[in-house]
């Protein structure tokens, strides 16, 4: 595999959690695989004063705990880490930063190529690029200059438009890499391969053969120490606007003309632009919000959301969202999409379930389960990554009794089953100058356009209920009513093939 060109990766917000838990462990994994450039350094930037050694020490604990490859801190890696403390809110301090960066560039021989990673609070997303531009650090005539922006990208349509406008004032679109870490997941990318490299799925992948599509991303933890952030965000902004709409786009998109950044991102944006808007008046009917309340989970007393640190005891912020919507285009006309996400649900699972149309006539009509469940293709993003097809089979013996059985593939069965972490893949892609797995500005805006009326309705109509659900349950019962008729959500287990036992 080609190694990226020599460069320095500058991480703003380097004393924060994301750097220690995700970014540096991912870099250490890349180092182990010899995928980093020969001449490469990380310059961590933060307000907390730390020496290079203190920064390295802190990062080494992160690597031991969070790197995918569990064999400790790789040799020669820590020396690549450096730290520079300054107040990034002060434009006047960027001159000193630039001198430090240039000195490190000369020391490392990284050829004046820089990536700037914004792992800071969002309030800094336009300020830092502005000050970098004032120092000429956006100009890429001598070497490349790339900017990675973490989520959340805006908190509604207006702020996302504004942020895009500001960033584009300092960097060109090709230089901007907006992260949605779900696209970095191996199994999410496999969605494209499953769909577009197999002749059997694509002919069925439309309104004629698919009854409905379900996307679930559940978590079995609460908001933990992130109460303050979550109060400003809620599940709709935190998970739906980005990760879940992205998964939906990959399920629904047309085959791209080529596997390259523009073709793939063009198709993603077309899906987002085809989402049928949910008007403010329809929000109550199509979108269910909930909040976890205190409960016993596996014998342990668990706090409710309102008791979490940093959360208003009267908070109406949603920790669960389930919704139904349509994609108004030729392929999907009339096919409902159901998506849901929540904190403090029974287990951590992300999966997509394609429910195929039932047979036109039920020959073996006595079998209720089959009629209700139909054929399902489960695309498991995490954990127990894999694919599962559910279909009916004759129960051996007299008569024609039908039983549902599984045909499954698990990544764990592969001889070389190393799944790189999302950040590993995304960092490497940015280093290689490939933005395919990053969100383009127009896609982010289209997603906000769909989400905005829901946020507005919730703000303007407090009568729209926030349903309480006991921690450890599958969310408010009302979310079941979104799915018409006899059908329900699939209630997934940690193990993908849940025929004989269910592990939560
Ligand atoms: C993040 C959200 O984007 O995704 C978190 O801010 C959430 O609230 C996380 O826990 C889930 O990511 P993953 O990769 O664990 O599914």
């Amino acid at each position: 595999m080609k190694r990226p060109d020599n460069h320095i990766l500058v991480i703003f917000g380097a004393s924060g959690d994301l750097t220690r838990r995700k970014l540096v462990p991912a870099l250490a994994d890349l180092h182990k695989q010899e995928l980093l450039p020969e001449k490469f350094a990380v310059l961590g930037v933060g307000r907390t004063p730390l020496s290079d050694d203190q920064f390295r020490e802190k990062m080494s604990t992160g690597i031991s705990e969070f790197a995918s490859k569990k064999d400790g801190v790789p040799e020669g890696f820590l020396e690549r880490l450096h730290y520079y403390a300054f107040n990034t809110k002060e434009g006047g301090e960027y001159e000193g930063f630039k001198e430090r960066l240039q000195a490190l560039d000369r020391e490392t021989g990284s050829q004046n190529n820089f990536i700037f990673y914004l792992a800071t609070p969002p309030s800094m997303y336009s300020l830092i690029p502005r000050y970098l531009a004032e120092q000429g650090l956006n100009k890429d005539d001598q070497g490349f200059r790339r900017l990675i922006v973490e989520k959340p990208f805006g908190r509604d349509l207006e702020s996302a438009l504004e942020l895009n406008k500001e960033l584009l004032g300092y960097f060109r679109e090709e230089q901007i890499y907006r992260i949605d870490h779900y696209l970095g997941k191996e199994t999410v990318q496999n969605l494209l391969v499953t769909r577009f490299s197999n002749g059997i799925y694509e002919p069925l992948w439309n309104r004629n053969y698919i009854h409905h599509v379900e996307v679930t991303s559940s978590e079995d933890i609460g908001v933990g120490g992130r109460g303050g952030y979550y109060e400003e965000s809620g599940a709709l902004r935190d998970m739906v606007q980005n990760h879940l709409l992205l998964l939906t786009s990959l399920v629904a998109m047309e085959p791209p003309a080529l596997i390259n950044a523009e073709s793939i991102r063009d198709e993603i944006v077309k899906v987002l632009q085809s989402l049928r808007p949910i008007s403010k008046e329809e929000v109550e009917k199509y979108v269910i919000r909930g909040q976890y309340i205190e409960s016993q989970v596996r014998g342990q007393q668990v706090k409710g959301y309102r008791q979490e640190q940093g959360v208003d005891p009267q908070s109406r912020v949603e920790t669960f969202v389930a919704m139904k919507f349509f994609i108004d285009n030729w392929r999907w006309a009339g096919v409902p999409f159901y998506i849901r996400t929540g904190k403090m649900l029974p287990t951590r699972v992300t999966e997509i379930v394609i429910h195929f149309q039932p047979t036109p006539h039920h020959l073996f009509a006595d079998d209720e389960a089959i009629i209700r469940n139909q054929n399902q293709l489960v695309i498991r993003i995490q954990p127990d990554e894999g694919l599962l097809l559910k279909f009916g089979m004759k129960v051996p013996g007299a008569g024609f009794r039908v039983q549902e059985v599984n045909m499954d593939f698990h990544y764990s069965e592969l001889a070389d089953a190393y799944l790189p972490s999302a950040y590993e893949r995304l960092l490497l892609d940015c280093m290689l100058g490939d933005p395919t797995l990053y969100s383009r500005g127009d896609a982010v805006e289209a997603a906000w356009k769909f989400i905005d009326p829901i946020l507005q309705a919730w703000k303007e109509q407090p009568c729209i209920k926030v349903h309480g659900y006991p921690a450890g349950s599958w969310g408010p019962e009302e979310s079941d009513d979104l799915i018409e008729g006899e059908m329900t959500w699939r209630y997934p287990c940690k193990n993908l093939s849940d025929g004989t036992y269910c592990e939560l």
Side-chain angles (χ1 to χ4, degrees):
M1 175 141 192
K2 186 176 164 272
R3 280 186 166 198
D5 292 340
N6 298 330
H7 68 275
I8 294 178
L9 170 66
V10 180
I11 304 178
F12 287 91
S15 46
D17 237 26
L18 183 74
T19 307
R20 197 180 84 86
R21 285 168 165 261
K22 301 282 184 191
L23 304 183
V24 172
L27 292 168
D29 284 324
L30 289 172
H31 177 99
K32 282 181 202 166
Q33 297 163 77
E34 299 187 356
L35 289 172
L36 292 178
E38 241 171 80
K39 294 175 180 167
F40 169 78
V42 173
L43 181 58
V45 170
R47 285 183 73 164
T48 319
L50 293 175
S51 66
D52 281 358
D53 281 342
Q54 286 169 321
F55 181 58
R56 288 172 187 165
E57 177 55 34
K58 190 170 169 195
M59 293 305 117
S60 79
T61 60
I63 297 166
S64 308
E65 217 176 317
F66 301 109
S68 307
K69 293 191 174 276
K70 293 288 173 214
D71 43 3
V73 180
E75 211 187 307
F77 178 72
L78 288 181
E79 295 86 277
R80 298 182 131 184
L81 306 182
H82 305 263
Y83 189 82
Y84 183 71
F86 80 104
N87 182 357
T88 47
K89 285 188 181 153
E90 284 301 325
E93 296 202 13
Y94 279 72
E95 217 175 303
F97 160 71
K98 185 180 175 184
E99 280 167 20
R100 175 78 177 94
L101 181 61
Q102 286 174 334
L104 187 61
D105 178 50
R106 284 191 296 273
E107 257 168 61
T108 320
S110 49
Q111 295 170 311
N112 212 1
N113 292 321
F114 305 130
I115 297 179
F116 302 106
Y117 196 121
L118 305 186
T120 60
S123 55
M124 298 302 293
Y125 287 177
S126 55
L127 213 54
I128 294 173
R130 182 170 120 201
Y131 293 142
L132 291 175
E134 278 177 13
Q135 296 298 325
L137 286 168
N138 55 344
K139 296 215 167 60
D140 53 1
D141 40 358
Q142 306 283 322
F144 66 67
R145 302 281 190 270
R146 296 175 191 143
L147 182 74
I148 305 183
V149 188
E150 258 298 331
K151 71 174 270 262
F153 197 90
R155 47 175 291 104
D156 51 23
L157 179 60
E158 195 189 338
S159 56
L161 286 168
E162 182 62 21
L163 180 55
N164 265 336
K165 198 168 134 206
E166 282 174 340
L167 292 182
L168 290 169
Y170 312 120
F171 287 82
R172 298 188 314 280
E173 176 65 35
E174 311 88 84
Q175 295 176 288
I176 304 173
Y177 290 68
R178 298 171 194 80
I179 277 216
D180 183 320
H181 80 278
Y182 266 53
L183 249 188
K185 291 181 192 271
E186 191 68 32
T187 41
V188 172
Q189 294 152 33
N190 187 43
L191 246 169
L192 297 179
V193 176
T194 302
R195 283 193 57 197
F196 302 131
S197 77
N198 291 297
I200 55 170
Y201 298 120
E202 205 45 31
L204 305 180
W205 214 262
N206 58 55
R207 66 186 177 285
N208 296 324
Y209 300 100
I210 293 180
H211 185 272
H212 67 279
V213 177
E214 193 184 322
V215 182
T216 289
S217 187
S218 64
E219 292 182 276
D220 56 357
I221 50 168
V223 294
R226 297 169 77 219
Y229 155 78
Y230 209 81
E231 279 285 276
E232 293 298 314
S233 155
L236 192 67
R237 289 188 175 97
D238 188 46
M239 292 291 291
V240 179
Q241 183 274 337
N242 36 64
H243 309 324
L244 292 196
L245 289 185
L246 176 77
L247 291 178
T248 306
S249 308
L250 295 179
V251 171
M253 71 193 258
E254 294 302 316
L258 297 166
I259 291 294
N260 66 24
E262 286 322 297
S263 299
I264 292 183
R265 299 192 305 172
D266 282 349
E267 297 307 333
I268 290 178
V269 96
K270 281 188 215 162
V271 175
L272 294 168
Q273 287 167 345
S274 311
L275 296 175
R276 185 188 300 172
I278 297 178
S279 69
K280 286 197 239 175
E281 294 68 38
E282 292 170 322
V283 167
E284 199 165 9
K285 181 170 167 209
Y286 289 121
V287 189
I288 304 294
R289 58 174 167 170
Q291 189 186 80
Y292 61 86
I293 53 176
E294 191 178 356
S295 176
Q296 286 263 335
V297 181
R298 294 174 211 172
Q300 302 269 337
Q301 193 64 24
V302 171
K303 280 189 220 165
Y305 175 68
R306 291 180 182 180
Q307 284 94 52
E308 298 276 15
Q309 185 195 336
V311 172
D312 176 354
Q314 308 290 322
S315 175
R316 286 172 58 81
V317 168
E318 77 290 354
T319 59
F320 175 97
V321 177
M323 61 196 283
K324 171 182 177 178
F325 59 85
F326 292 90
I327 298 174
D328 283 340
N329 64 18
W330 279 55
R331 187 185 284 266
W332 296 110
V335 177
F337 282 71
Y338 299 96
I339 64 178
R340 70 177 165 167
T341 183
K343 301 270 184 206
M344 276 296 178
L345 301 184
T347 190
R348 173 176 178 255
V349 162
T350 301
E351 67 176 26
I352 295 152
V353 190
I354 310 292
H355 295 257
F356 290 96
Q357 294 281 9
T359 52
H361 174 62
H362 303 311
L363 276 177
F364 312 108
D366 60 331
D367 211 302
E368 277 302 311
I370 293 293
I371 295 168
R372 223 180 19 247
N373 292 329
Q374 311 152 359
N375 291 127
Q376 295 173 14
L377 176 70
V378 183
I379 303 168
R380 178 56 77 87
I381 306 298
Q382 63 192 22
D384 194 4
E385 293 80 1
L387 277 187
L388 168 69
L389 182 66
K390 284 184 176 284
F391 61 100
M393 198 206 75
K394 180 179 175 300
V395 177
F400 283 99
R401 277 185 48 232
V402 184
Q403 182 192 341
E404 186 181 78
V405 290
N406 292 333
M407 205 154 72
D408 50 0
F409 157 74
H410 305 254
Y411 272 79
S412 54
E413 289 160 4
L414 293 175
D416 181 11
Y418 176 68
L419 294 186
S421 75
Y423 279 96
E424 213 180 306
R425 171 68 198 253
L426 291 173
L427 282 168
L428 183 62
D429 279 5
C430 177
M431 291 175 182
L432 291 165
D434 180 357
T436 310
L437 301 179
Y438 286 83
S439 305
R440 211 167 56 188
D442 53 355
V444 176
E445 288 171 6
W448 276 121
K449 196 169 170 194
F450 178 65
I451 294 295
D452 242 27
I454 305 172
L455 289 170
Q456 280 168 19
W458 284 352
K459 194 165 150 204
E460 290 163 12
Q461 304 169 45
C463 56
I464 299 179
K465 288 196 183 101
V466 181
H467 301 275
Y469 63 94
S473 71
W474 274 109
E477 281 169 12
E478 286 73 6
S479 66
D480 281 331
D481 303 336
L482 283 176
I483 306 188
E484 288 99 23
E486 293 281 290
M487 279 170 282
T488 64
W489 297 89
R490 189 175 117 87
Y491 292 104
C493 310
K494 206 179 263 175
N495 48 314
L496 172 59
S497 317
D498 48 0
T500 46
Y501 75 102
C502 178
E503 185 191 344
L504 288 179

